[in-house]
Amino acid sequence: MQEFEKKDFTKILKKNALDGHRWMKNTDSTAVRVYDRNIEAFPVTVDLYSGYVRVVDYSADGMADDDVTVMKDLISRFLYTEHDKIIYLRREKREGREQHGVSDKSLQVCVRENGLEFGCELMKYTDTGLFLDQAGTRDVIRSMSGGMRVLNLFSYTSSFSVYAAAGGAEKTVSVDLSNVYTAWSRRNLDRNGFLDQAKYETVASDAASYLRSAAESGSQFDIVIFDPPAFSNSHKADDFDVQKDYMEYLHMISKVLTAGGVCLFSENLAGFRFEKALLKPYWKIQEITADVRPLGFSSKRNGLRVWILKKVADMDRIRSAESRKDRKMDAEKKERGPRDAAGKRERRERTAGQREERRSSWRDRRDGSSYGRDRGSERGERRDRYQGRDDFRSSRYDERRDDDYRPRRSYDDERRYGGYRSYDDRDRDRGYDRGRYGDRDSYRQRRDFPGRSEGGYGRDRDYEDRKRAGRRDGRRDWDNDTGRAYRSFRDRDGGERRPYRQGEGGEGRRRNAPKPYGYDTFMSTKKREGADAFWLRNTEIRKYDDEVDE
């Protein structure tokens, strides 16, 4: 762990803690998140729960003991918390149907959120009983629940039901499969003064079973809260996968919703695909994710999305893309029949035989005659006809003399290079002379760029002649390859010098020739006798105001 990583961790921790304390003071709350795996060196979440700090490690192998000690020290100093109130837990990733374990230790605290009280367990379970990222969504439910009948599916500890009851709901029904969480829900309702169990009902049941029974009995609700887990594999009910099953649940929810009723659908699964186009005929959809964005949660880590679905018509039975795919696979498996050990062995043997047959076929086709006859192509027949000859020549070149013939690489080279016998023949026809220009790259470079030599930029022969002529008669030539558009030039046949003019027909402003690189530096020098550059000889010396004539 580097020092700059510790510094960045404390900066984020201090800033989020300051914002969190402001929010808690304004909303009468005592629980907030202040760090959410923002730095790779600290793959943890840090939450405040009524004076306690709960740290959950999400790394694959867990942080080293020395790093945990350093992290606890930083948290204690920057959050002003005693060491014995910092709780460190590891969240191990589940594999297959494995479920999170339950610890023997227990620490129960009571926290407030927007003026309502909730019981939380900080050590026994993986989750505490209150999802802090849903604080804004719960407040939305409280604002719209006045006089409404509210159904809370997958209620967990019924924090949504408590908010709905606080908002003046006529009736709330909280449904969860776990008896532990159903009892927890009852305690949360009683803690906030909602003691009437007939009005604020808690039901330990599977959500799908309850919806089917409610539709059969004719029960109607104005608001349905559908906040399911991403995946559930309880032994009491069928497996639940939100990506595959959410469409089926929305179909059942539409059966128990009143006309114009509202379903609040939220999900925290990363990469969740919401098929809005299939739902538009039945629901008026509004996404409120940006309005309920949680405080202290990283936008990269938190995948919470929230929609408000207003019922327009009873929904037909529509299946999601994942559900349709699974049903198709199940039908194919059923059609193939059971896969016993004998069937698997037979399929493996058949597959191995087919693979060996393909390999044998390719071995035979690698031989010249067999390969040509199998393909039945002209090339194969030609190969069969000339097989065994040392030097293969096509009939097209048999009439050539032996001294003119140069062997080609293959028949394809002839077609690719337009019938040339070799690279040398082709280059000779194009005017390339190996003795004069050396290798082919140098020839191509000089051919495409006449002013460029092999070692860099050079001068062509005409330029050198004009330069020597200018030295003899005392004239200066300012020709420069870097200023082609502005320089003056001579006619190719040795005509008089004519200036370059802008515009058609030679009309426009006359432009002076550009000065060569370093011209101004040389002009400030008073002595020209030792100058090597030819353009500095026989030039007038420039004098400045502060200099005295010699």
Side-chain angles (χ1 to χ4, degrees):
M1 187 179 299
Q2 303 294 329
E3 290 298 327
F4 71 90
E5 294 173 335
K6 301 177 186 177
K7 187 176 181 180
D8 292 342
F9 173 70
T10 55
K11 282 183 178 180
I12 298 174
L13 196 67
K14 188 174 182 179
K15 177 185 179 300
N16 291 347
L18 183 60
D19 296 339
H21 280 291
R22 286 201 196 99
W23 179 81
M24 289 190 293
K25 182 178 180 181
N26 296 331
T27 59
D28 189 17
S29 304
T30 59
V32 71
R33 175 159 293 186
V34 294
Y35 181 81
D36 188 19
R37 294 174 282 175
N38 302 93
I39 303 175
E40 186 177 359
F42 293 87
V44 299
T45 60
V46 181
D47 300 326
L48 301 181
Y49 286 93
S50 295
Y52 288 90
V53 179
R54 190 172 189 263
V55 183
V56 180
D57 184 3
Y58 283 82
S59 59
D61 301 327
M63 298 179 63
D65 295 339
D66 296 340
D67 295 341
V68 173
T69 302
V70 172
M71 180 182 62
K72 286 184 177 181
D73 181 65
L74 295 175
I75 292 174
S76 175
R77 286 160 44 196
F78 284 88
L79 296 184
Y80 307 102
T81 305
E82 296 85 352
H83 280 81
D84 56 354
K85 288 190 175 183
I86 300 176
I87 303 168
Y88 172 79
L89 300 174
R90 278 196 59 201
R91 188 184 182 99
E92 297 181 358
K93 187 176 181 179
R94 294 182 297 177
E95 296 182 0
R97 301 182 61 85
E98 184 181 1
Q99 296 185 354
H100 291 297
V102 179
S103 176
D104 298 334
K105 300 179 182 179
S106 177
L107 178 60
Q108 297 182 5
V109 295
C110 181
V111 301
R112 290 194 313 276
E113 184 182 86
N114 290 313
L116 301 174
E117 295 184 356
F118 301 93
C120 294
E121 174 59 60
L122 302 185
M123 298 183 68
K124 190 172 184 179
Y125 304 106
T126 304
D127 298 315
T128 62
L130 184 67
F131 294 115
L132 301 181
D133 58 341
Q134 292 279 28
T137 311
R138 288 189 284 265
D139 204 29
V140 171
I141 289 294
R142 178 164 62 176
S143 64
M144 60 190 303
S145 297
M148 300 292 182
R149 291 165 293 178
V150 180
L151 172 62
N152 186 9
L153 301 174
F154 299 94
S155 62
Y156 190 39
T157 59
S158 298
S159 56
F160 276 104
S161 301
V162 173
Y163 270 83
E170 178 184 339
K171 180 182 177 62
T172 64
V173 179
S174 305
V175 181
D176 196 274
L177 186 61
S178 172
N179 293 324
V180 174
Y181 292 137
T182 301
W184 200 332
S185 300
R186 186 74 263 162
R187 291 195 298 270
N188 280 337
L189 289 166
D190 295 343
R191 184 178 282 109
N192 290 276
F194 309 116
L195 305 176
D196 189 351
Q197 297 186 13
K199 185 176 181 179
Y200 309 107
E201 186 179 357
T202 57
V203 180
S205 173
D206 177 38
S209 301
Y210 182 85
L211 285 172
R212 284 191 289 265
S213 61
E216 293 175 359
S217 62
S219 300
Q220 294 287 295
F221 296 92
D222 302 305
I223 299 176
V224 176
I225 302 168
F226 182 43
D227 180 30
F231 182 79
S232 175
N233 56 357
S234 176
H235 62 279
K236 295 182 181 180
D238 297 335
D239 292 349
F240 174 81
D241 189 331
V242 64
Q243 187 65 73
K244 300 176 182 178
D245 302 331
Y246 81 98
M247 200 73 73
E248 181 69 20
Y249 271 81
L250 289 178
H251 167 259
M252 292 187 290
I253 289 172
S254 69
K255 302 300 182 183
V256 301
L257 263 180
T258 59
V262 172
C263 173
L264 186 138
F265 176 35
S266 65
E267 183 49 48
N268 203 7
L269 175 64
F272 177 76
R273 297 179 299 279
F274 186 64
E275 299 172 275
K276 184 187 295 186
L278 299 178
L279 300 173
K280 279 186 176 181
Y282 313 101
W283 305 90
K284 183 179 179 181
I285 304 173
Q286 178 186 2
E287 185 171 0
I288 60 171
T289 304
D291 300 332
V292 297
R293 194 174 302 279
L295 182 68
F297 284 78
S298 172
S299 58
K300 296 181 180 179
R301 301 290 183 180
N302 185 259
L304 177 66
R305 298 183 67 185
V306 184
W307 298 270
I308 292 181
L309 311 178
K310 186 176 181 180
K311 180 181 174 181
V312 176
D314 287 340
M315 186 175 173
D316 296 334
R317 187 177 296 276
I318 301 176
R319 303 194 184 279
S320 63
E322 291 291 335
S323 179
R324 292 194 299 270
K325 182 179 178 181
D326 286 352
R327 284 179 172 271
K328 182 178 179 181
M329 294 176 62
D330 294 341
E332 292 176 354
K333 290 180 181 179
K334 185 177 180 180
E335 184 178 355
R336 288 195 300 264
R339 293 191 173 186
D340 53 355
K344 290 182 179 179
R345 184 165 52 254
E346 181 181 355
R347 283 189 294 274
R348 284 198 299 267
E349 293 175 357
R350 183 170 61 252
T351 304
Q354 294 173 355
R355 189 182 301 112
E356 182 61 27
E357 182 179 355
R358 288 195 299 268
R359 290 176 179 174
S360 301
S361 175
W362 280 109
R363 291 193 197 100
D364 296 339
R365 293 178 67 181
R366 282 186 302 181
D367 298 337
S369 59
S370 176
Y371 178 76
R373 285 192 295 270
D374 291 343
R375 292 186 62 183
S377 62
E378 180 182 357
R379 183 177 180 182
E381 294 175 359
R382 187 169 59 253
R383 181 173 300 179
D384 293 342
R385 187 164 60 253
Y386 292 103
Q387 187 176 9
R389 295 179 58 176
D390 296 332
D391 52 343
F392 168 70
R393 298 180 181 181
S394 75
S395 59
R396 180 176 179 181
Y397 294 99
D398 286 340
E399 299 177 358
R400 292 188 176 183
R401 293 182 302 176
D402 294 339
D403 54 348
D404 292 338
Y405 172 72
R406 292 183 178 87
R408 299 181 313 280
R409 295 182 180 179
S410 67
Y411 176 72
D412 295 336
D413 292 339
E414 175 197 354
R415 293 185 299 173
R416 184 179 301 115
Y417 298 117
Y420 284 102
R421 297 184 298 277
S422 66
Y423 289 104
D424 297 335
D425 297 337
R426 181 183 53 165
D427 294 335
R428 187 182 301 108
D429 293 344
R430 293 186 178 181
Y432 166 67
D433 187 358
R434 185 180 297 273
R436 177 180 178 184
Y437 296 109
D439 57 353
R440 185 179 297 101
D441 294 336
S442 175
Y443 159 71
R444 187 181 297 109
Q445 189 176 25
R446 293 180 60 86
R447 181 194 63 191
D448 297 339
F449 304 98
R452 187 191 300 260
S453 63
E454 183 177 357
Y457 283 98
R459 304 290 184 181
D460 57 9
R461 186 171 298 177
D462 296 338
Y463 181 84
E464 296 293 338
D465 295 341
R466 284 187 279 116
K467 184 174 66 173
R468 285 192 294 270
R471 288 179 181 175
R472 286 195 301 269
D473 56 13
R475 294 197 308 269
R476 291 170 295 164
D477 198 325
W478 301 101
D479 291 351
N480 190 353
D481 285 342
T482 60
R484 296 178 181 178
Y486 303 101
R487 70 173 181 237
S488 60
F489 57 90
R490 297 177 183 273
D491 294 334
R492 293 185 178 180
D493 55 356
E496 294 296 330
R497 185 188 188 97
R498 53 189 178 89
Y500 174 81
R501 292 183 180 273
Q502 185 180 10
E504 298 180 359
E507 299 177 359
R509 181 175 59 86
R510 178 173 180 175
R511 297 185 178 180
N512 295 329
K515 305 301 185 293
Y517 181 80
Y519 172 78
D520 296 335
T521 305
F522 283 112
M523 287 301 293
S524 62
T525 308
K526 289 187 176 183
K527 294 183 179 181
R528 297 283 195 267
E529 292 79 5
D532 296 332
F534 70 91
W535 60 78
L536 296 178
R537 296 171 182 171
N538 303 323
T539 58
E540 183 179 358
I541 300 175
R542 184 171 59 189
K543 299 179 180 179
Y544 299 94
D545 297 338
D546 55 348
E547 295 179 354
V548 180
D549 296 337
E550 296 180 357

